[in-house]
Amino acid sequence: MQIGIPDDAGPLVAATPSAVQKLGALGYDVVVTEGAGTAAGLPDDTYRDVGAQVVSDRAAAWECDVVVCTTVPDDVAERMRPGTMLVSRLAPAAHPDRVRALADRGITALALDAVPRISRAQSLDVLSVLSNVAGYRAIVEAAAEYSGMFGGQVTAAGSTRPATVFVIGAGVAGLAALGAATALGARVRAFDVRPEVAEQIESMGAEFVSEPAAQQQVSADGYAAPLTQEQLAAALRLYTREAAAADIVVTTALVRGTAPTTLTAEAVAAMRPGSVIVDLAAPGGGNCELTVPGERVVTGNGVVVLGYTDLPARMPRHTSELYGTAVANLLTLLTPAKDGEVRLDLDDVVQRGMTVARGGEVLWPPPAVQVSAGPPAPATPQAEEAAPGAAPGAGAPARRRPAWLNGALAVAGAVLGGLAVAASPAETVGHFTVLALAIVVGFYVIRSVTHALHTPLMSQTNAISGIILVGALLQIGSSSVLVTVLATIAAAVASVNVFGGFLVTRRMLRMFRRTDDDGDTTARNDAGAAGATEGSAR
């Protein structure tokens, strides 16, 4: 089968040479329109070098068995042959007439912007790709507009304070924006109505702004729901307060494609002259009341409001590279035999969720896919029925101990511990003192270290475990059976920690090791494995 890569209207291209090479390995013949990758810095010769057929006839790519593009023209159904397949961003909810036209022509249409949000489909999710690039580019645009430097500077003539960046929303775009701003040295604060993302924000080096009155319960599907009137009022007060203290504000709030208002005209009026607002929700109408989609606006008090809707296209090389990788991953899924033949399996929830038209039928919207971004809600305990003859109240839940009893037990435990230490030899008292200090120091060290450094911190505990191991080995030969048993257990546990720490260190280092893959330099990402090792869930 032939895969066509037409010349899209914008600077993006649906497949880079590395993606074309992967498609060729799957058994496909790739046809690329002449000049399709020029705007992304990819000359035609780079496509020819990997085996693609570069054609000057712009209609040739549209007549292939499979057509892959980043955007579709209004007459896409007329350009393609009946019975072929289209893979692109289709916005099926916003353009039902287009989907109907494709179905009427017998075209199988797969929407890359309808990928189910489940872990198995992340490698196909172009929306995350575009959001990531948009978040990064938002900081680039803000830095160009801002009249100062992001990072604080110390010079012989004096010092400057770092810029303050406030990010509204911690989805893919928001996290990319705060990561880029942190890397530039800015002081970054962020807020999201989903409380479960606080740890992600802090792991990126930003400060999570807490406002319980404006936050929802832990979401079941990873998306924010519309706020109640009380939550909305609390959120708007928070946004107004933070925006007034910020130099740059990045808004990313979208609820099912709709942009709620997060910055009112009054909030913008309270901001300092020279401040910058980058509205990443401009394609959905904008989060700021003064946003004009696609344009740069300067308010009466000197605040710059950027409502650009083409931020990913302003970085065409890397956007095209990531987009093409997602396309190659999709075709790999559709070609299990690697024989150049597409086999669409509608029993697969990922393929079914993307398929909006097939065999003359419109298949949009797809069946709901159950996803869970947060921990499942604990089941409500129910008292079991008492068995016949059981004592009254046997099935009732246990009564909680009163608070005074817990306090009394704590005091009694402290007194007994003090007496045990007082009755111990002076040598043992010293050991107890070292243990207590180690517990206190360890507690404050762990609490003060950012989440992103927990893995390397755990790796450094290998040295401590090694000391424990040496001490245990010295005590194994003791004449006391109890000491020998405890030393053997300590040696075994310390050995597990030492070897486990080396494995964690190795995985951590592999995250930053670069390997050559089809001529491109890529970074191996074992973050999920390292995160699982330290007991954190994404």
Side-chain angles (χ1 to χ4, degrees):
M1 298 180 69
Q2 285 188 327
I3 295 180
I5 311 297
D7 182 10
D8 288 349
L12 301 180
V13 61
T16 58
S18 60
V20 169
Q21 193 170 17
K22 294 176 183 177
L23 295 177
L26 293 174
Y28 293 102
D29 295 326
V30 183
V31 177
V32 181
T33 302
E34 192 175 74
T38 302
L42 302 169
D44 294 335
D45 287 341
T46 60
Y47 286 97
R48 294 189 181 97
D49 292 341
V50 294
Q53 178 185 356
V54 180
V55 295
S56 57
D57 183 6
R58 300 189 178 277
W62 288 104
E63 295 175 353
C64 291
D65 304 302
V66 180
V67 177
V68 181
C69 52
T70 60
T71 57
V72 292
D74 294 335
D75 60 344
V76 59
E78 288 73 21
R79 296 191 184 194
M80 298 181 62
R81 293 186 292 108
T84 55
M85 174 179 287
L86 173 65
V87 178
S88 181
R89 292 182 294 158
L90 297 175
H95 300 283
D97 294 341
R98 176 190 295 161
V99 176
R100 180 74 263 177
L102 291 169
D104 291 342
R105 195 164 174 81
I107 296 172
T108 299
L110 271 64
L112 285 172
D113 47 359
V115 176
R117 289 295 177 92
I118 60 178
S119 298
R120 186 163 60 88
Q122 287 182 355
S123 62
L124 318 176
D125 192 354
V126 299
L127 284 184
S128 294
V129 167
L130 299 177
S131 296
N132 194 306
V133 177
Y136 178 89
R137 183 68 188 195
I139 297 301
V140 174
E141 296 290 343
E145 291 286 351
Y146 182 52
S147 58
M149 293 180 288
F150 268 49
Q153 301 292 317
V154 178
T155 68
S159 61
T160 60
R161 65 174 181 85
T164 300
V165 178
F166 178 53
V167 179
I168 300 176
V172 176
L175 291 175
L178 63 89
T182 301
L184 288 176
R187 175 175 176 263
V188 185
R189 296 166 61 84
F191 174 79
D192 196 290
V193 297
R194 299 167 299 154
E196 64 265 29
V197 302
E199 185 175 355
Q200 299 178 35
I201 292 173
E202 293 172 349
S203 69
M204 300 286 289
E207 179 182 354
F208 177 69
V209 181
S210 178
E211 183 60 52
Q215 290 178 310
Q216 305 168 344
Q217 298 296 322
V218 175
S219 60
D221 59 358
Y223 294 94
L227 300 177
T228 64
Q229 290 299 322
E230 293 77 11
Q231 291 172 330
L232 179 59
L236 290 178
R237 290 193 297 270
L238 168 67
Y239 300 148
T240 301
R241 182 178 71 248
E242 292 291 331
D247 300 301
I248 292 95
V249 178
V250 180
T251 67
T252 68
L254 279 173
V255 180
R256 301 299 191 273
T258 303
T261 298
T262 58
L263 287 179
T264 62
E266 291 76 12
V268 177
M271 296 177 65
R272 294 191 293 263
S275 301
V276 181
I277 299 173
V278 185
D279 196 338
L280 291 181
N287 293 139
C288 178
E289 285 186 337
L290 303 182
T291 295
V292 178
E295 297 186 15
R296 174 184 182 271
V297 175
V298 181
T299 66
N301 61 324
V303 176
V304 179
V305 182
L306 303 180
Y308 300 144
T309 58
D310 61 342
L311 293 178
R314 297 186 177 210
M315 309 191 79
R317 185 179 185 92
H318 282 160
T319 303
S320 298
E321 181 178 340
L322 296 172
Y323 192 101
T325 300
V327 168
N329 292 335
L330 173 61
L331 268 299
T332 301
L333 176 65
L334 298 178
T335 320
K338 297 184 179 181
D339 56 354
E341 295 292 332
V342 171
R343 292 174 177 82
L344 185 62
D345 180 12
L346 294 185
D347 292 331
D348 180 3
V349 294
V350 175
Q351 299 179 47
R352 174 63 186 88
M354 301 175 61
T355 305
V356 298
R358 188 192 188 196
E361 296 183 46
V362 174
L363 301 182
W364 179 265
V369 178
Q370 181 63 36
V371 296
S372 177
T380 303
Q382 298 179 353
E384 298 180 359
E385 295 184 2
R399 296 175 57 186
R400 297 182 59 185
R401 288 184 305 201
W404 66 266
L405 181 57
N406 291 333
L409 291 175
V411 171
V415 171
L416 291 176
L419 293 175
V421 172
S424 300
E427 186 177 299
T428 305
V429 174
H431 292 325
F432 273 119
T433 303
V434 172
L435 176 62
L437 290 175
I439 292 174
V440 172
V441 172
F443 175 80
Y444 281 104
V445 166
I446 295 298
R447 287 293 300 270
S448 301
V449 172
T450 181
H451 298 80
L453 297 179
H454 279 182
T455 297
L457 180 64
M458 184 170 60
S459 300
Q460 293 302 318
T461 60
N462 286 346
I464 300 175
S465 298
I467 296 173
I468 296 173
L469 182 59
V470 171
L473 292 176
L474 292 175
Q475 295 298 324
I476 287 180
S478 173
S479 57
S480 172
V481 176
L482 178 60
V483 172
T484 301
V485 171
L486 292 177
T488 303
I489 295 174
V493 174
S495 298
V496 171
N497 198 18
V498 168
F499 289 112
F502 280 118
L503 290 177
V504 170
T505 303
R506 183 180 179 184
R507 285 186 179 274
M508 182 181 65
L509 293 176
R510 285 170 59 189
M511 292 168 54
F512 307 100
R513 184 179 303 164
R514 295 186 175 275
T515 58
D516 189 71
D517 183 13
D518 296 333
D520 287 343
T521 301
T522 58
R524 301 184 61 179
N525 186 1
D526 289 324
T533 307
E534 55 178 315
S536 61
R538 181 179 177 182

